[in-house]
Amino acid sequence: MSSMIKIILGTVITSVIPVLIIEMAKKKKWIELNDFFHRNIIYYMTMFCVLLAGNLYGNTEFVFTIIIGSSILHILGVCGVKFVLEKEEKNTITWNHGMYYAFSCIVFLFLGADYLMFGNRSSASWFSTENMISRTDGMVLFFLLLFYLFIQAYFSKKSIEQKESGEISYLPENTQSIKKSIIVFVIIFLLIYTGVALLFSGFSYITWKLHQSFYLVNSLLGVWVLNLPYIYLTMRSGNKKEVILEESYIQGLVGLTGGIGCRAIIHPFWMSARYIQDVMILCVIVTLMQLIKKIPATIRGSIMITAYLAVVIGLFVR
């Protein structure tokens, strides 16, 4: 099978068919979840499939570029468009996930650069510090995720009580509907994993054939293809733009601490300069987002879109 056919099939299977299945299931009332659950379930399924494929093929660059690239796309690209198109509204977000995300990026950079302080050691060692994210570093990242989940659980107690009392309801009470929803999402998961495997194979061949960097192809084409369902479901949803932005912070945080942390625990990986640059860019983006919170939404969105274009241009320059 040629690489272009693999990429086309992978795109259709990963980005088109899952959305069509969800739309059909909603019309037939097989699933009764709202858009928030649809887009987030598909996003986390996709990232989990990327993590599985990366570990199966032993390619850390595939995992890293998709997770970091997706986070930048969501925060600057998707949210930027939402801020430009939607009307101004009062910000009702009480806890800023972006600050914790920025803190996690700083911790990641510290772990990735610890060789500067401790010197070179064997890369095969459990406590390796030779420009590596070691198993110990992976555990530190995963602990950041667990600590975040603990904080969320602690401060969400009142919200959980409201859901239990019936004031807020996200999940269907129909047991039959829940069973059908599980079947639908299992089918979607299998499709996404098949598509991710095809895309990985197709991208690898294209980079070899065109003498281009796998990092560049994956950071642009791979990130966009794998995030098409999320972009579509986000743009059509009625969720407020501030909610979408905080959601993007959470997704990036889970990917950085959970996804990359698990990858390091399974197999420590070498930190190339590009990885460090990407996380530094991400850290700067998340930090600056906290500084422009008071700017009108339209101007803020324009700045975000411009920043995303600058990041894309920077990929070619680097």
Side-chain angles (χ1 to χ4, degrees):
M1 188 184 299
S2 70
S3 60
M4 285 308 301
I5 293 177
K6 287 181 180 180
I7 292 176
I8 293 171
L9 279 177
T11 302
V12 172
I13 293 173
T14 305
S15 303
V16 180
I17 296 180
V19 173
L20 294 178
I21 291 176
I22 284 181
E23 295 296 337
M24 182 186 70
K26 285 179 65 178
K27 288 182 180 179
K28 293 183 176 291
K29 295 186 177 180
W30 292 347
I31 54 176
E32 299 178 8
L33 302 175
N34 57 31
D35 285 338
F36 170 83
F37 279 95
H38 294 158
R39 66 173 180 267
N40 278 281
I41 288 173
I42 286 185
Y43 173 78
Y44 287 116
M45 278 185 177
T46 302
M47 293 303 109
F48 184 68
C49 289
V50 167
L51 186 61
L52 285 178
N55 283 310
L56 179 63
Y57 294 108
N59 192 313
T60 300
E61 192 165 61
F62 181 65
V63 176
F64 197 92
T65 51
I66 292 295
I67 289 177
I68 301 300
S70 296
S71 184
I72 294 174
L73 172 62
H74 292 178
I75 294 172
L76 294 182
V78 177
C79 292
V81 173
K82 292 281 283 187
F83 272 75
V84 169
L85 296 180
E86 293 185 4
K87 63 180 182 180
E88 190 73 40
E89 62 191 20
K90 184 179 179 181
N91 186 2
T92 57
I93 302 298
T94 56
W95 188 47
N96 194 335
H97 303 80
M99 294 301 294
Y100 192 85
Y101 189 17
F103 169 74
S104 299
C105 290
I106 293 172
V107 172
F108 183 90
L109 289 171
F110 172 79
L111 295 174
D114 55 8
Y115 71 100
L116 294 174
M117 295 178 290
F118 297 108
N120 293 334
R121 298 183 187 176
S122 171
S123 60
S125 170
W126 177 280
F127 296 100
S128 169
T129 54
E130 190 182 2
N131 208 13
M132 297 278 292
I133 293 294
S134 66
R135 289 187 175 90
T136 305
D137 297 335
M139 290 177 183
V140 172
L141 291 173
F142 197 73
F143 172 78
L144 287 176
L145 175 60
L146 295 179
F147 183 69
Y148 167 79
L149 294 176
F150 171 78
I151 294 175
Q152 278 288 81
Y154 180 80
F155 287 103
S156 301
K157 186 176 180 181
K158 182 177 179 180
S159 176
I160 293 173
E161 290 173 352
Q162 288 179 331
K163 294 175 187 178
E164 291 177 347
S165 64
E167 295 178 33
I168 301 175
S169 179
Y170 290 111
L171 297 174
E173 297 180 359
N174 188 341
T175 305
Q176 192 66 25
S177 176
I178 294 175
K179 291 180 180 178
K180 290 180 179 178
S181 298
I182 293 173
I183 293 172
V184 168
F185 284 114
V186 167
I187 293 172
I188 290 175
F189 174 79
L190 295 175
L191 286 170
I192 291 175
Y193 182 77
T194 303
V196 167
L198 287 171
L199 287 171
F200 177 83
S201 178
F203 291 158
S204 299
Y205 182 80
I206 280 184
T207 55
W208 172 76
K209 194 72 174 178
L210 299 179
H211 304 289
Q212 294 295 326
S213 167
F214 181 81
Y215 168 84
L216 178 62
V217 174
N218 200 43
S219 295
L220 294 176
L221 187 58
V223 167
W224 269 92
V225 167
L226 291 175
N227 282 281
L228 283 176
Y230 179 84
I231 295 172
Y232 168 76
L233 294 172
T234 300
M235 289 304 175
R236 72 158 201 185
S237 74
N239 295 114
K240 296 180 180 180
K241 52 183 176 288
E242 293 288 352
V243 174
I244 301 295
L245 180 58
E246 294 298 319
E247 178 184 301
S248 298
Y249 291 149
I250 296 171
Q251 291 168 349
L253 173 64
V254 173
L256 182 70
T257 57
I260 297 178
C262 286
R263 168 63 182 167
I265 292 172
I266 296 170
H267 190 277
F269 59 89
W270 178 65
M271 280 292 292
S272 70
R274 288 184 297 199
Y275 294 175
I276 295 175
Q277 290 168 3
D278 285 345
V279 179
M280 288 178 65
I281 291 170
L282 181 59
C283 185
V284 170
I285 288 170
V286 177
T287 303
L288 290 179
M289 290 296 294
Q290 315 311 309
L291 302 178
I292 63 173
K293 290 173 63 176
K294 302 298 183 180
I295 297 177
T298 304
I299 299 176
R300 189 179 174 187
S302 300
I303 293 173
M304 293 158 70
I305 294 172
T306 303
Y308 181 72
L309 293 176
V311 171
V312 172
I313 294 171
L315 285 173
F316 288 97
V317 173
R318 286 191 288 148

